[in-house]
Amino acid sequence: MLLLTLPSQPNAVRLRTWRTLKALGAASLRDGAYVLPAEHAEPFGRIADEVRSHQGAAWLLGLSARSPAQQQELVALFDRSAAYAEWETSLEALRRELAGLGETAARRQFRGMTEALEGLERSDYFPGAARERARSTLALLRREIDLRFSKGEPAPAGGDIPRRDRLEYAGRLWATRARPWVDRLACCWLIRRFIDPAARFVWLRDVADLPDGALGFDFDGAAFSHAGSLVTFETMVLAFGLQDDARLRRIGATVHYLDVGGLPVAEAAGLENILSGLRTLHPDDDRLIDATGAVFDALYASSGEPA
């Protein structure tokens, strides 16, 4: 339990304290008395230190329930059911709007919903059915978006990622789903830049039509695809022993965020807008990967240390 008497000035300290407590999901027993589960209470110490440094008063105390009923009352203070319900209402609104959205806008809004759920989960200290229901509905929406805009989007596979010898992959025919988007576009650039400069690509309307001898990527059953939490670009970087290249790791983080969400990357929004524009300009997939390859070349160059 954190007991606070906030300083009257500066007002910025009061605002910062309130915002931090709200972000933590701290429960309020009364004005100036806040509680968190002990294993999540470390930030209370930093709040107390700042309040004292501005001549406020702060006490950080252990709090134990005196009975099972009181324990239930304390746990009830952290009930996030209303917040999950509000989040689900926003998700349903996005689902209704989906028919009128382009792929870039739909995936951008989906990432926003993903980040909102992750933020809610960070302060859900006693998770239950509401969290599991939210995760399930988010997964269903992801599937709807993939079916609408990216038929054949791969499901993550388990297992180790075997190491490949780049010398054995020269002059090959590579195949992926037609109208490539971020992950596949990045893979095409990676293949030509680091693995197979003479690579030729075939664009599949149906992955069942994979030509004999072609190397598939970014679909279920392909030679290279999603693995665990990694998108196809990241698995190829690992498979070909390129993971020590910090610039490729940075691009991988950007591709990961744009493809499946996760930690935001500063350049992600700009890259998404550029790739979206180029895909509109180039209905031919061969021309598209030529144009986007130059973008990834520039991104790779800009990710290095300044001269």
Side-chain angles (χ1 to χ4, degrees):
M1 179 169 60
L2 178 65
L3 299 177
L4 292 176
T5 301
L6 292 171
S8 57
Q9 294 295 331
N11 195 48
V13 174
R14 301 173 65 86
L15 290 175
R16 187 160 55 245
T17 300
W18 288 329
R19 287 171 180 166
T20 302
L21 290 167
K22 183 177 180 180
L24 288 171
S28 176
L29 295 178
R30 62 169 179 78
D31 187 31
Y34 304 92
V35 294
L36 278 175
E39 61 271 25
H40 300 286
E42 181 182 354
F44 271 178
R46 294 193 292 272
I47 295 172
D49 289 343
E50 182 176 26
V51 169
R52 293 186 192 112
S53 71
H54 289 87
Q55 287 71 56
W59 295 267
L60 188 55
L61 308 171
L63 178 66
S64 298
R66 298 183 62 182
S67 68
Q70 191 176 68
Q71 174 70 13
Q72 291 180 2
E73 290 177 4
L74 287 171
V75 170
L77 294 173
F78 296 94
D79 183 12
R80 300 291 185 250
S81 298
Y84 280 115
E86 183 178 350
W87 178 88
E88 288 189 1
T89 298
S90 298
L91 191 79
E92 286 304 315
L94 174 56
R95 178 175 278 116
R96 291 193 296 271
E97 296 172 6
L98 195 59
L101 295 176
E103 182 174 8
T104 302
R107 293 195 183 279
R108 185 177 293 144
Q109 291 198 37
F110 176 83
R111 287 197 302 275
M113 293 303 303
T114 301
E115 291 166 12
L117 180 58
E118 290 170 349
L120 179 55
E121 289 180 346
R122 282 193 292 271
S123 64
D124 186 9
Y125 301 115
F126 301 95
R131 184 179 73 171
E132 295 309 311
R133 185 173 61 250
R135 288 180 171 181
S136 296
T137 55
L138 184 68
L140 287 173
L141 181 59
R142 169 65 192 269
R143 186 65 178 161
E144 287 180 30
I145 291 173
D146 287 342
L147 287 173
R148 179 175 177 81
F149 298 110
S150 187
K151 186 178 179 180
E153 187 72 15
D160 295 331
I161 300 172
R163 182 61 59 88
R164 312 293 183 116
D165 184 350
R166 278 175 274 176
L167 296 178
E168 297 178 2
Y169 289 82
R172 300 292 295 272
L173 179 65
W174 300 75
T176 192
R177 292 170 290 133
R179 300 311 293 151
W181 186 224
V182 179
D183 194 12
R184 282 166 285 152
L185 291 172
C187 287
C188 291
W189 169 77
L190 183 74
I191 290 166
R192 279 194 170 161
R193 177 73 184 265
F194 293 95
I195 301 167
D196 183 4
R200 294 169 293 126
F201 293 96
V202 60
W203 312 105
L204 305 174
R205 295 295 174 184
D206 187 336
V207 298
D209 296 330
L210 180 70
D212 290 340
L215 290 165
F217 62 96
D218 202 51
F219 57 86
D220 286 336
F224 304 96
S225 192
H226 290 206
S229 63
L230 303 178
V231 299
T232 304
F233 179 89
E234 294 170 306
T235 65
M236 293 184 77
V237 167
L238 283 173
F240 289 98
L242 300 168
Q243 66 275 5
D244 291 335
D245 189 326
R247 290 183 287 183
L248 287 181
R249 292 200 304 272
R250 179 71 177 179
I251 292 174
T254 306
V255 172
H256 184 108
Y257 173 69
L258 291 175
D259 194 49
V260 297
L263 295 174
V265 180
E267 55 265 34
L271 178 64
E272 182 180 46
N273 288 335
I274 293 169
L275 295 181
S276 178
L278 289 173
R279 198 160 75 151
T280 300
L281 288 173
H282 298 289
D284 178 83
D285 289 346
D286 289 308
R287 290 184 179 274
L288 174 61
I289 63 168
D290 288 341
T292 56
V295 174
F296 283 105
D297 279 336
L299 185 59
Y300 182 79
S302 69
S303 297
E305 294 295 327

